[in-house]
Amino acid sequence: MADAIKKSAEIQDVLAQACARRELLILATPYLRFESSFLAVRDGELHILATMSREDATFGLRAPDLTIRFPDGLGFFEARVEVLGLGMLDGRRTIRLSMPRSLTENDLRDSYRVERVGRVLVTYSTLKGDLLQGSLVDISATGAKIHAQRDVDPAAMGPGTPLLLSIPLSPEIQIETRAEVRHLGARTLGLAFRPALPERTEQPLSRWIFLRREEERERLAQRLELNDRATKPQASGPTGILLVSADPALETALREFLAPIQPLIRLPYSAQAIKDALAAAPPLAIFHVKGTSLDERRLLKALVETTLPKAPVLLLGTQVDATALFELSAEWKASSAIVWNPSRGLFLQRLAQGIIRRNTHGGDSPMAPAEP
């Protein structure tokens, strides 16, 4: 179930509460996701913690469908935002975002249960004092399922039976609450928290569930990617990520980070070589931009225009101004652009992976590494 909050006062109230508790959030572009946290609402702008480089914040986040996702109570919110610039708040670097025009609220009560819970030993007891143990099967913001160590007696544990429940989910989340049996099997008990969990427990649990949900989205995207590789018909020639560059040293540097995704094939700045390589349906073409003179721009633009109908394009600049590179990226309708240095290898890996996923099966973008 999803509902939208559109009144500006209500939106500001939700965001102000998220800022007050320094709530975590996921900042997502079509190709990358960043983990951050709320800081403040100031002068009609939303400040969040800058967890990426200035360059990535300035250019990489300027996507038309940039969104934020964050937990709130028993559910989570999602909203479309825009980057307004960088800021500073209480000595911390921030990213200034526009206030959302609406918040989409997704209720997790019945729609999402975390099943990857690890090995968690649960203690439960009846009000008569019978102390029993079991293992946690899954958990949501409103209840849990446990596997009992011995057969469940329907006469003693039927639906509606009140229990005392202890779930040491993590060092930070220790659930001590009353619960009610909702359904049972031979050795399973479906429990609802009755009454609802107190805020001091509900908030960290909601946050934990939200992060597990994000992880599951990433795992699903990876499975789709593997299935796509396995079922995709073999092309007529060698296929992989194309690198259009005359620099063999750059090829060697990029191979370390891109080979785990796809083979890397370097091509000269040749229209015929690119046309031949496009016949193998490459998942991505990276164009090395080493200068922005008029002749270089004309050549690269023609090559990019040849490539775009067949493969997404990423511009990779060396010794070029970041602003000029991103202007070319927008003008040529490239998926993204990055100024290269070896310290950005993992970021490039995630960016390339996100572009490939987006253009093959619309999967979730991978999480970008945080800046050290």
Side-chain angles (χ1 to χ4, degrees):
M1 181 176 70
D3 298 307
I5 298 176
K6 297 184 178 180
K7 293 183 178 180
S8 59
E10 294 181 12
I11 293 172
Q12 180 151 335
D13 182 57
V14 170
L15 297 179
Q17 291 182 39
C19 291
R21 62 180 184 267
R22 293 291 191 264
E23 189 60 82
L24 69 85
L25 64 90
I26 299 296
L27 188 65
T29 77
Y31 311 119
L32 287 172
R33 293 183 295 134
F34 300 88
E35 189 173 310
S36 183
S37 57
F38 288 92
L39 290 179
V41 175
R42 295 281 176 85
D43 302 322
E45 299 176 353
L46 175 62
H47 286 256
I48 67 170
L49 185 64
T51 57
M52 67 294 294
S53 70
R54 174 180 291 271
E55 182 178 277
D56 294 333
T58 304
F59 300 108
L61 295 178
R62 292 189 181 278
D65 46 0
L66 177 67
T67 61
I68 57 173
R69 298 194 291 266
F70 61 97
D72 185 89
L74 298 176
F76 69 93
F77 284 105
E78 185 167 344
R80 188 73 58 86
V81 294
E82 295 179 3
V83 173
L84 301 178
L86 303 178
M88 187 69 69
L89 194 66
D90 299 329
R92 310 179 78 178
R93 294 189 308 115
T94 71
I95 300 171
R96 296 165 35 239
L97 302 177
S98 64
M99 293 291 285
R101 295 184 178 180
S102 66
L103 290 176
T104 302
E105 182 180 12
N106 294 272
D107 189 351
L108 294 177
R109 291 172 194 263
D110 299 315
S111 61
Y112 196 80
R113 304 181 74 86
V114 177
E115 296 180 347
R116 291 174 177 263
V117 294
R119 302 183 69 175
V120 179
L121 184 65
V122 177
T123 302
Y124 60 103
S125 64
T126 65
L127 299 185
K128 296 179 180 179
D130 299 323
L131 191 61
L132 303 165
Q133 288 187 321
S135 56
L136 185 64
V137 177
D138 63 41
I139 190 168
S140 72
T142 58
K145 181 189 289 185
I146 62 176
H147 185 271
Q149 292 182 341
R150 63 189 187 190
D151 290 348
V152 178
D153 180 2
M157 294 279 185
T161 301
L163 300 176
L164 298 176
L165 183 64
S166 176
I167 306 176
L169 189 61
S170 72
E172 298 77 25
I173 305 175
Q174 303 285 324
I175 300 174
E176 305 286 343
T177 186
R178 288 176 178 265
E180 180 182 288
V181 176
R182 298 300 300 273
H183 56 84
L184 72 160
R187 284 202 174 186
T188 59
L189 287 167
L191 307 175
F193 302 140
R194 293 286 188 271
L197 296 175
E199 187 174 304
R200 67 179 181 276
T201 304
E202 179 189 280
Q203 284 188 2
L205 176 60
S206 176
R207 190 175 298 124
W208 184 88
I209 291 172
F210 174 75
L211 286 174
R212 300 295 87 74
R213 177 182 178 275
E214 290 291 323
E215 291 171 1
E216 187 60 32
R217 291 172 69 141
E218 173 70 5
R219 279 191 291 269
L220 176 60
Q222 291 175 349
R223 287 197 296 269
L224 289 173
E225 186 175 353
L226 291 173
N227 291 339
D228 183 71
R229 289 188 197 177
T231 58
K232 187 175 182 180
Q234 293 297 313
S236 58
T239 186
I241 298 173
L242 305 183
L243 172 62
V244 182
S245 173
D247 188 348
L250 178 64
E251 176 189 5
T252 300
L254 297 186
R255 192 178 300 279
E256 175 185 354
F257 300 101
L258 297 180
I261 305 173
Q262 294 272 349
L264 185 65
I265 303 169
R266 184 167 65 89
L267 302 175
Y269 295 97
S270 161
Q272 189 58 52
I274 291 173
K275 287 179 181 178
D276 292 342
L278 289 175
L284 174 66
I286 300 176
F287 282 80
H288 179 197
V289 182
K290 59 184 187 299
T292 55
S293 67
L294 182 58
D295 288 342
E296 288 173 313
R297 291 202 309 270
R298 284 175 175 171
L299 172 61
L300 283 172
K301 182 179 181 181
L303 297 178
V304 168
E305 288 176 347
T306 298
T307 304
L308 277 175
K310 300 290 187 178
V313 168
L314 170 65
L315 302 186
L316 185 142
T318 58
Q319 299 179 333
V320 297
D321 177 71
T323 300
L325 181 68
F326 278 87
E327 287 176 351
L328 289 178
S329 174
E331 178 186 342
W332 297 348
K333 297 180 173 58
S335 295
S336 190
I338 177 175
V339 175
W340 169 252
N341 64 61
S343 66
R344 307 194 72 201
L346 290 177
F347 181 87
L348 172 64
Q349 182 187 75
R350 291 298 191 180
L351 178 59
Q353 192 175 32
I355 294 173
I356 292 170
R357 286 182 183 175
R358 178 78 173 189
N359 285 275
T360 53
H361 47 66
D364 263 346
S365 53
M367 183 71 76
E371 288 293 308

